[in-house]
Amino acid sequence: MNVTETSLPGVLLIEPRVLGDARGWFVETYRVERYAAHGIGGPFVQDNLSRSARGTLRGLHLQHPHGQGKLVSCPLGSVLDVAVDVRVGSPTFGRCVSVELSAENQRQLWVPPGFAHGFQVTSEVALFAYKCTDVYHPEAELGVRYDDPDLAIAWPVADPIVSPKDRALPFLRDVPKERLPPVDR
């Protein structure tokens, strides 16, 4: 597998080895020692799978405390996946990275704890898979508005389908700093 550091320290783009022939393809989506060698050690304690229609935008979400590292992929369809550094004191605070994840390219993104995460579906339908390092804690749930002008994320589908809950999230500048994770985690 090929692992590339993105412009956000700790956020990694993973390109697993795909073995294909006339029958189709095979890809190993996770192997503890290979991922641990790149600093993705888990343990993973919760797996999630979502199905969404074209234009659906989910995010930008995180938990603090109880930060979740997320190893994400798109086994059906395609999405634009986004990570935002929201760690107080980070030199890259408020910066974003976005990558296309799809069934076609088989890429994965490692989003460590301390980063907000979201995605938008660019195919007719998409399945989106998450391996998480902590379980969901509703009391620790936190989010940032997907259309925050300070983040200036170039979402690919105009007029996104967004939940009322995500539409009500605050801009990053309006989240109290004590509510956000520190850079040292």
Side-chain angles (χ1 to χ4, degrees), residues 5-180:
E5 182 115 7
T6 68
S7 60
L8 295 180
V11 177
L12 304 174
L13 179 63
I14 300 133
E15 297 171 292
R17 186 171 169 217
V18 179
L19 305 172
D21 60 24
R23 300 169 297 163
W25 52 263
F26 171 85
V27 64
E28 185 177 85
T29 60
Y30 180 74
R31 185 185 224 171
V32 66
E33 67 274 7
R34 286 189 184 159
Y35 284 71
H38 295 282
I40 305 169
F44 293 104
V45 297
Q46 179 176 320
D47 284 1
N48 302 320
L49 184 66
S50 68
R51 181 183 189 279
S52 304
R54 177 184 293 283
T56 298
L57 198 151
R58 297 183 187 269
L60 300 159
H61 305 141
L62 72 148
Q63 289 187 168
H64 179 68
H66 304 291
Q68 288 179 309
K70 298 174 183 172
L71 180 62
V72 298
S73 63
C74 183
L76 175 71
S78 60
V79 303
L80 181 73
D81 196 61
V82 175
V84 181
D85 189 349
V86 297
R87 300 169 300 155
V88 174
S90 170
T92 56
F93 180 83
R95 291 195 198 153
C96 310
V97 66
S98 59
V99 297
E100 180 193 27
L101 302 179
S102 70
E104 192 71 27
N105 68 28
Q106 290 297 312
R107 291 174 166 175
Q108 300 172 317
L109 192 68
W110 167 245
V111 182
F115 291 78
H117 173 261
F119 66 90
Q120 186 178 43
V121 178
T122 55
S123 55
E124 287 307 307
V125 68
L127 292 179
F128 193 81
Y130 315 63
K131 293 184 83 54
C132 302
T133 60
D134 201 347
V135 298
Y136 173 63
H137 290 270
E139 74 283 359
E141 192 173 38
L142 184 60
V144 175
R145 197 57 195 257
Y146 72 95
D147 59 352
D148 185 329
D150 294 334
L151 302 180
I153 299 168
W155 297 107
V157 179
D159 196 25
I161 302 165
V162 181
S163 73
K165 183 176 178 180
D166 285 355
R167 279 198 194 279
L169 291 172
F171 294 140
L172 181 56
R173 67 178 168 258
D174 297 328
V175 178
K177 297 292 186 227
E178 62 275 4
R179 186 71 180 93
L180 294 170

